[in-house]
């Protein structure tokens, strides 16, 4: 393009993204919408940022940018790029949530995007997170969620907390935009800006596997520490963990499948030191012959504390492996 085309004032030269933004805005929504579908999210943000700050572009510059569109500019009306114009343009192509996210990034200001995304989280995650916050902060968060999301989160919270938070919401006073932005940033960091869901699940699975191999007291201490800062992560880790004591909570069919895969000597070692009720619950899932063998062995002494702990961890690991393969189901208490 000539200098006359690239520069539309004595002091301003259009960059590549600005040229694209100007042409898209000039095309109008129907035609521009067809083109925007071919851009990836990063490109859309770059173009949107350029369009929002474009300002007035004289008709002469537009004519120079693309001669084949001269007919559309023949009325001599200049074009003005604004955030509102480009948001309207994107609205014909992208879902409202994605438009809100792009415009939030472009404008550098808070809007409803964060709260829409937060409202889409599972109510258990929201309730766990809000329950760890100061009551005034918790009330502010709930008040800015969609009514449906707030209601679901409150419904599973303890009655006293639910009632107190609802009263606080009624008494909330206006909060500055600066404060809201700080809160949004923290919520995005804590709940939204993590690794992709699959990667997050894999990471939690590995950590849960590590915790399963630790002494129960140590694992519980770690979980309590995580819960103080990341209650959602702690809850997810607990759902992936399984201790030997949870064996009795397995459905009868799952226990049968499990003990078919575990050597009788390992079951015997794991049962040492357990009470009679627990032993009966485990042994009831075994065949008569295996049960008699284990009962006879348990009548004699044997096995160190280290060997007993190792046998119990091995059985817990087997349970998780069989569960991941879909061969057994964990009970509600264990899951």
């Amino acid at each position: 393009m000539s200098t006359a085309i690239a520069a539309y004032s004595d002091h301003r030269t259009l960059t590549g993204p600005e040229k694209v933004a100007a042409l898209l805005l000039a095309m109008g929504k129907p035609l521009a919408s067809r083109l925007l579908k071919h851009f990836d999210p990063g490109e859309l943000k770059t173009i949107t940022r350029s369009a929002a700050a474009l300002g007035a572009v004289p008709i002469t510059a537009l004519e120079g940018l693309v001669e084949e569109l001269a007919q559309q500019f023949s009325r001599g009306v200049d074009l003005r790029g604004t955030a509102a114009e480009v948001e309207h343009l994107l609205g014909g192509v992208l879902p409202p949530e994605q438009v809100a996210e792009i415009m939030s990034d472009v404008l550098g200001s808070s809007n409803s995007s964060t709260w829409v995304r937060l409202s889409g989280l599972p109510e258990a995650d929201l309730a766990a997170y809000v329950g760890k916050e100061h009551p005034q902060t918790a009330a502010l968060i709930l008040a800015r969620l969609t009514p449906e999301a707030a209601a679901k989160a409150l419904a599973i919270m303890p009655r006293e907390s639910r009632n107190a938070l609802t009263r606080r919401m009624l008494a909330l006073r206006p909060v500055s935009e600066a404060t809201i932005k700080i809160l949004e940033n923290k919520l995005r960091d804590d709940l939204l800006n993590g690794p992709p869901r699959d990667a997050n699940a894999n990471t939690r699975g590995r950590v849960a596997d590590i915790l399963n191999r630790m002494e129960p007291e140590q694992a519980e201490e770690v979980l309590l520490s995580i819960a103080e800062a990341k209650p959602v992560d702690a809850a997810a880790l607990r759902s992936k963990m399984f201790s030997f004591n949870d064996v009795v909570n397995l459905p009868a069919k799952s226990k049968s499948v499990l003990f078919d895969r575990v050597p009788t000597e390992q079951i015997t070692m794991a049962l040492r030191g357990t009470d009679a009720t627990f032993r009966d619950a485990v042994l009831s899932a075994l065949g008569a012959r295996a049960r008699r063998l284990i009962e006879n062995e348990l009548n004699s002494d044997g096995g160190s504390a280290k060997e007993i702990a190792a046998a119990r961890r091995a059985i817990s690991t087997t349970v998780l492996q069989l569960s991941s393969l879909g061969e057994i189901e964990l009970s509600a208490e264990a899951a």
Side-chain angles (χ1 to χ4, degrees):
M1 294 184 181
S2 66
T3 304
I5 295 174
Y8 65 80
S9 73
D10 292 336
H11 61 280
R12 175 78 183 277
T13 300
L14 288 174
T15 64
E18 287 173 334
K19 294 173 186 176
V20 175
L23 289 173
L24 287 170
L25 288 169
M27 286 177 187
K29 190 169 183 177
L31 182 57
S33 296
R34 291 167 57 189
L35 295 176
L36 283 168
K37 294 177 181 178
H38 299 283
F39 291 103
D40 62 37
E43 292 168 336
L44 283 173
K45 286 185 179 181
T46 300
I47 294 169
T48 305
R49 190 178 291 109
S50 298
L54 191 61
V57 181
I59 187 62
T60 53
L62 292 173
E63 289 174 344
L65 281 172
V66 55
E67 293 183 4
E68 62 267 29
L69 296 180
Q71 290 294 326
Q72 296 185 29
F73 309 132
S74 60
R75 293 174 295 174
V77 179
D78 292 347
L79 176 148
R80 177 173 294 276
T82 65
E85 286 288 340
V86 75
E87 185 172 7
H88 174 70
L89 194 64
L90 292 173
V93 184
L94 305 174
E97 289 185 24
Q98 191 172 353
V99 174
E101 182 178 356
I102 290 174
M103 294 308 299
S104 177
D105 180 80
V106 168
L107 298 174
S109 61
S110 8
N111 58 24
S112 62
S113 173
T114 297
W115 301 101
V116 169
R117 292 172 63 197
L118 286 168
S119 297
L121 293 174
E123 57 267 26
D125 290 357
L126 290 172
Y129 185 89
V130 167
K132 295 291 184 179
E133 294 295 312
H134 184 280
Q136 194 67 13
T137 303
L140 180 58
I141 293 172
L142 289 167
R144 296 184 75 87
L145 296 174
T146 63
E148 182 181 8
K152 288 181 178 179
L154 283 167
I156 60 177
M157 297 180 74
R159 183 179 61 181
E160 291 184 4
S161 297
R162 180 169 59 245
N163 295 342
L165 288 173
T166 304
R167 290 195 299 269
R168 282 182 179 269
M169 280 191 281
L170 285 171
L172 282 174
R173 297 181 178 277
V175 180
S176 70
E177 280 300 315
T179 301
I180 293 297
K181 188 166 184 62
I182 292 171
L183 178 60
E184 287 179 343
N185 288 338
K186 186 175 188 304
L187 289 169
R188 280 195 292 269
D189 288 342
D190 290 348
L191 297 175
L192 300 177
N193 290 346
R197 187 176 297 271
D198 290 344
N200 204 15
N202 289 338
T203 299
R204 286 172 175 168
R206 288 193 296 272
V207 173
D209 190 33
I210 292 171
L211 293 176
N212 273 320
R213 297 171 188 273
M214 296 171 63
E215 293 298 327
E217 297 80 7
Q218 295 174 336
E220 182 62 25
E221 183 180 347
V222 172
L223 283 169
L224 291 174
S225 174
I226 294 172
E228 291 179 1
K230 299 283 187 178
V232 174
D233 284 344
L237 287 172
R238 285 190 185 278
S239 72
K240 295 176 179 294
M241 293 181 64
F242 188 94
S243 72
F244 179 69
N245 290 335
D246 295 321
V247 165
V248 294
N249 297 322
L250 290 172
K253 184 177 179 181
S254 295
K255 280 190 283 191
S256 296
V257 173
L258 169 65
F259 292 124
D260 280 344
R261 306 292 181 87
V262 178
T264 54
E265 59 269 21
Q266 194 174 75
I267 299 173
T268 303
M269 186 64 69
L271 285 175
R272 292 193 181 280
T274 59
D275 60 46
T277 302
F278 185 91
R279 288 186 188 184
D280 288 341
V282 171
L283 294 174
S284 64
L286 302 174
R289 181 174 179 277
R291 177 168 184 161
R292 285 195 301 272
L293 286 172
I294 292 174
E295 287 176 333
N296 289 335
E297 288 294 326
L298 288 174
N299 288 330
S300 61
D301 295 332
S304 65
K306 185 176 180 180
E307 290 172 325
I308 293 171
R312 292 176 180 178
R313 281 197 298 270
I315 292 176
S316 297
T317 299
T318 301
V319 169
L320 293 171
Q321 289 173 342
L322 293 174
S323 176
S324 67
L325 293 172
E327 296 187 31
I328 66 172
E329 293 181 357
L330 303 179
S331 69
E333 290 86 348

